[in-house]
Amino acid sequence: MPVSVAIIAKDEEKRLPHCLDSLSFADEVLVVDSASRDRTVEIAKAFGARVLIEPWRGYAGQKQFAVNHCLHDWVLILDADEWISRETGNKVKSISDAPDPAIAAYSFLRKSFFHGRWIRHCGWWPDRVVRLVNRRVGQFNDPLVHEQWISNGKVKALELIIEHRSFRSYSDLIHKMDRYSTLAAQDMLKAGRGVKWFSPFSHGAWMFVRTYLLELGILEGFDGFMISVLNAGGSFLKYAKLREIRLHQQYLEEG
């Protein structure tokens, strides 16, 4: 059972090499690039990856495009800021050497790093994600943000690690908070969700309490406080932006 690795990337020349360097077990590596302005494509080709250039389709659409264009049915789906430990790579290889026909996908534990250390709280750990999939037995769902692989068969949970370094600074966290809150507001609008004037405040406050106290962000020091504040800010903005969209629609209808 040969295994492809599918990666979507844009302007990832700094993080992509570490990802690609961890994929020696793969039978194919496919990088789908969406108009990078740096050396992402050059680096991917230097590592022997097959590269396709595709305009941005959204997170789910871009990942589904990558999966669909892999050469093999079993696909390990990664982001450019993730990498595979030797133990995890060996296990993926052993699964491919002796496949279980009853399993349609496998999930992993994702271990996230920030400021050079593993964040064990704030809801960042344990973070279970479905990543090794039989592409014939499932597909991505279609929200604009927080996309997931939906398997039409049995998913087996593995106690194996995918390592993740998504954020390099607080600025990265702020940028993602702004981008994801916009997409989440659009998803809620599409789903017909309503919003009250107090919704941004109540949801933002609850998110801070959940992240900082219930998910023990307080144990992560100042980083835990910042992650909690920015999680709360993202929740606040999501509902504030939904309210803004609703008010704009109302103004157009009345005008």
Side-chain angles (χ1 to χ4, degrees):
M1 186 183 77
V3 174
S4 295
V5 177
I7 302 167
I8 65 170
K10 180 177 181 180
D11 297 332
E12 288 287 0
E13 66 177 6
K14 293 182 178 179
R15 294 184 290 193
L16 185 61
H18 194 33
C19 174
L20 295 174
D21 195 42
S22 71
L23 303 178
S24 59
F25 61 89
D27 299 284
E28 177 209 19
V29 177
L30 172 65
V31 174
V32 175
D33 181 81
S34 52
S36 288
R37 295 162 294 181
D38 62 8
R39 297 177 58 250
T40 295
V41 170
E42 179 185 340
I43 290 168
K45 290 180 177 179
F47 274 88
R50 186 163 61 95
V51 177
L52 296 178
I53 309 299
E54 179 66 16
W56 182 245
R57 295 165 168 253
Y59 291 101
Q62 198 77 353
K63 290 183 178 181
Q64 188 68 60
F65 177 89
V67 169
N68 290 346
H69 285 80
C70 285
L71 298 178
H72 308 300
D73 285 344
W74 279 90
V75 181
L76 180 66
I77 304 160
L78 292 179
D79 292 331
D81 57 9
E82 298 172 335
W83 69 97
I84 300 298
S85 67
R86 179 169 298 182
E87 177 189 6
T88 299
N90 289 339
K91 180 61 176 179
V92 171
K93 187 63 178 173
S94 70
I95 290 171
S96 70
D97 288 341
D100 183 345
I103 305 299
Y106 295 86
S107 68
F108 298 77
L109 293 169
R110 185 165 60 173
K111 183 177 183 178
S112 294
F113 294 83
F114 185 53
H115 285 158
R117 65 189 183 92
W118 173 23
I119 302 297
R120 301 167 183 263
H121 304 94
C122 301
W124 285 21
W125 176 265
D127 178 20
R128 184 164 288 281
V129 289
V130 175
R131 289 303 181 82
L132 180 60
V133 306
N134 183 340
R135 64 176 180 173
R136 304 291 182 186
V137 197
Q139 62 284 314
F140 277 100
N141 59 0
D142 62 354
L144 296 176
V145 68
H146 301 309
E147 73 288 344
Q148 294 179 315
W149 180 265
I150 307 300
S151 176
N152 298 327
K154 182 178 179 182
V155 178
K156 182 174 181 179
L158 301 174
E159 299 304 310
L160 294 170
I161 304 297
I162 291 177
E163 303 194 37
H164 183 221
R165 186 170 281 114
S166 181
F167 307 109
R168 291 159 287 195
S169 65
Y170 296 136
S171 293
D172 278 355
L173 283 167
I174 293 168
H175 178 68
K176 184 174 181 179
M177 172 189 70
D178 183 40
R179 185 174 74 253
Y180 273 35
S181 62
T182 297
L183 297 174
Q186 292 170 357
D187 274 334
M188 290 195 297
L189 179 69
K190 182 179 176 181
R193 291 281 297 274
V195 59
K196 305 293 187 181
W197 68 266
F198 56 82
S199 296
F201 301 97
S202 59
H203 284 275
W206 164 244
M207 181 58 71
F208 180 82
V209 169
R210 192 180 90 177
T211 307
Y212 196 60
L213 299 177
L214 301 183
E215 295 176 339
L216 300 179
I218 192 173
L219 300 180
E220 298 290 350
F222 189 74
D223 281 342
F225 176 76
M226 284 298 296
I227 291 168
S228 302
V229 166
L230 293 173
N231 277 0
S235 185
F236 179 95
L237 283 174
K238 177 172 65 174
Y239 285 90
K241 289 175 180 180
L242 176 60
R243 183 172 183 270
E244 181 181 50
I245 295 169
R246 292 287 192 193
L247 289 174
H248 182 65
Q249 288 179 334
Q250 182 180 345
Y251 171 79
L252 291 177
E253 290 171 359
E254 291 175 353

